[in-house]
Amino acid sequence: MGNFKILHHLDHLKDLKAAAHPVPISIRLVLSDLCNQNCHFCTFRMEDSFTNRLFKGLDKKGNLTYNPTRFFDKEKACEIISDAKEMGVKSIEFTGGGEPTVHPHHVEIFQAALNSGLDLGLITNGVLCRSKLIDALMEANWCRFSIDAGNKDTYSQLREVPSRIYGVVINNIKDLVRKKRQRGSKITIGTSFIVTDKNYLEVYECARRMSELGVDYFRVGYYRADEGFVAGDFEKTQELINKSIVDFNRDDFSVVNEYAESSKNMDGPPDYNFCAYQHVNTWIAADYNVYRCCVTSYDKHGLIGSIRDQSFKKLWFSDLKRKKMDEFNAMSCTQCIYNDKNKILNYAIRQDPDHVNFI
């Protein structure tokens, strides 16, 4: 039901309908562009990907790398959190870029967000899940682990890490589930599976394994459409997802099927002009740039402006930001993983929709 969450923010719809610029409901903050894994389906680490033209950097020897050691400054991150709270932002999601937990001060930054009263979400590969992080997550709203494999060998192949790391992640998930139950935490613990041609036959096995771990959900998606990328055999994958839903769904665990819907969003550019999503959810990257969304991040196409020498609040309320958003045409995007959300937003802010009294 994620596409309909905007209905709980009618004030934002009112602003958008009046052509005003509301503050974002949520911020996605990339603390680190460095990752401790190298997933072959990660768009940030693909040469010539349309999602990472500004992502690459130099390694210690001065060679080009798609895994740059680039961290967000702790004080700057806390400044953004303070700005967000003052502006009326509701939540902050820590994501990548790289892996958030390789940032040397990630727990302190998470705790600052929690202390401010912002809702907190984390997307992680789960390799580094130390006790202080688990303690902080007991106050968070949700944490989602990227799994993407049903066994250690496929996991190793997909992520270019030793096969033993699969067991490390599984044990870290178990620890988080156990602490949640012990402390009565309300955190939602999820796992995700991005379908590729190398793992699609393991959807059912991974769903079974996740259902046994005690997590709240297992989400299956398809979020890549680069040339040469194959998101599994579509019919067989759907069959395995549907079988997983039948066999494993229960009151305290769900298999969430986003595979078919997310694949539809890869069929080409949007068929509408106005991108409302950029007004409600923004992306702040580890290069200190603010972008429209994750798909247009690390690319001039999505660049709103830099906060290296100014606050996020100052940029958000600036004439530059207003001009960038007002002049942006969604049809200029190659694809949009937020098509469904944008279409709902655009319908909700239409001035004179037809036949609204016939429901």
Side-chain angles (χ1 to χ4, degrees):
M1 303 301 289
N3 292 342
F4 299 98
K5 290 179 182 178
I6 190 62
L7 298 178
H8 294 281
H9 302 278
L10 298 180
D11 53 333
H12 282 71
L13 289 177
K14 184 178 179 180
D15 285 344
L16 287 173
K17 196 167 187 175
H21 282 230
V23 300
I25 297 168
S26 185
I27 288 173
R28 293 179 177 180
L29 179 57
V30 178
L31 294 182
S32 168
D33 282 337
L34 180 69
C35 192
N36 50 2
Q37 300 190 334
N38 188 29
C39 305
H40 86 279
F41 50 85
C42 176
T43 59
F44 296 118
R45 285 162 180 78
M46 303 290 288
E47 291 188 26
D48 301 321
S49 172
F50 64 88
T51 61
N52 71 352
R53 293 186 179 99
L54 302 179
F55 186 81
K56 57 192 176 186
L58 299 177
D59 62 18
K60 293 180 180 179
K61 296 181 178 180
N63 299 317
L64 183 68
T65 178
Y66 283 92
N67 193 31
T69 305
R70 191 163 49 218
F71 296 133
F72 211 95
D73 178 73
K74 182 182 78 170
E75 284 69 31
K76 190 68 174 179
C78 291
E79 176 191 282
I80 290 170
I81 290 167
S82 179
D83 276 355
K85 181 64 177 178
E86 183 180 337
M87 292 163 65
V89 175
K90 305 297 184 185
S91 67
I92 185 165
E93 175 187 320
F94 294 98
T95 184
E99 166 55 36
T101 63
V102 304
H103 191 288
H105 303 291
H106 65 277
V107 174
E108 298 165 72
I109 296 169
F110 294 172
Q111 196 61 57
L114 292 167
N115 291 346
S116 74
L118 291 173
D119 290 351
L120 186 148
L122 170 66
I123 295 178
T124 178
N125 58 34
V127 177
L128 302 173
C129 205
R130 302 182 180 96
S131 59
K132 288 185 178 180
L133 172 58
I134 290 180
D135 288 341
L137 289 177
M138 292 298 98
E139 303 175 55
N141 293 80
W142 58 268
C143 176
R144 186 164 72 241
F145 294 84
S146 303
I147 300 297
D148 311 311
N151 61 66
K152 64 180 183 179
D153 294 328
T154 302
Y155 184 89
S156 175
Q157 181 184 10
L158 287 176
R159 295 174 172 269
E160 296 187 8
V161 294
S163 59
R164 66 174 180 81
I165 299 297
Y166 187 70
V168 170
V169 174
I170 295 298
N171 285 332
N172 286 338
I173 296 173
K174 288 180 179 178
D175 285 344
L176 187 59
V177 170
R178 182 171 61 253
K179 288 287 179 64
K180 172 186 176 178
R181 291 172 176 171
Q182 287 175 350
R183 302 188 188 183
S185 170
K186 295 183 179 179
I187 183 175
T188 297
I189 302 172
T191 52
S192 66
F193 189 109
I194 302 301
V195 177
T196 78
D197 60 336
K198 300 180 186 300
N199 68 2
Y200 72 96
L201 290 175
E202 298 174 18
V203 168
Y204 183 85
E205 173 59 21
C206 194
R208 181 194 63 77
R209 187 181 291 264
M210 295 304 107
S211 70
E212 294 172 351
L213 285 179
V215 301
D216 296 289
Y217 67 86
F218 171 70
R219 190 180 77 170
V220 187
Y222 162 26
Y223 298 108
R224 278 282 305 283
D226 296 39
E227 185 177 352
F229 178 80
V230 181
D233 178 283
F234 192 84
E235 291 186 2
K236 182 61 178 179
T237 302
Q238 279 285 83
E239 175 189 329
L240 292 171
I241 295 172
N242 291 335
K243 180 173 173 54
S244 300
I245 291 172
V246 171
D247 289 354
F248 305 127
N249 270 20
R250 54 183 189 267
D251 290 343
D252 61 350
F253 176 80
S254 298
V255 175
V256 181
N257 181 8
E258 294 190 359
Y259 179 67
E261 288 303 315
S262 53
S263 69
K264 293 177 184 177
N265 292 330
M266 304 300 173
D267 292 338
D271 58 359
Y272 48 84
N273 296 316
F274 184 62
C275 175
Y277 191 75
Q278 66 177 334
H279 289 270
V280 299
N281 193 321
T282 197
W283 180 281
I284 305 177
D287 62 358
Y288 294 88
N289 285 328
V290 176
Y291 296 96
R292 304 180 195 282
C293 66
C294 63
V295 180
T296 61
S297 64
Y298 298 98
D299 190 283
K300 291 181 180 179
H301 177 67
L303 180 62
I304 300 296
S306 173
I307 57 172
R308 186 177 295 276
D309 299 315
Q310 65 178 321
S311 68
F312 170 68
K313 179 181 177 182
K314 184 175 181 180
L315 174 64
W316 191 263
F317 292 121
S318 69
D319 291 338
L320 170 66
K321 173 260 176 182
R322 177 176 288 273
K323 184 173 186 291
K324 286 265 191 175
M325 287 193 169
D326 285 344
E327 294 181 352
F328 183 70
N329 188 334
M331 289 186 179
S332 64
C333 290
T334 303
Q335 58 186 228
C336 180
I337 66 173
Y338 304 111
N339 258 332
D340 297 338
K341 294 180 180 180
N342 256 329
K343 288 180 178 180
I344 290 172
L345 283 162
N346 280 333
Y347 176 76
I349 63 176
R350 279 177 60 183
Q351 295 297 331
D352 296 300
D354 294 332
H355 311 306
V356 295
N357 296 326
F358 292 87
I359 297 176

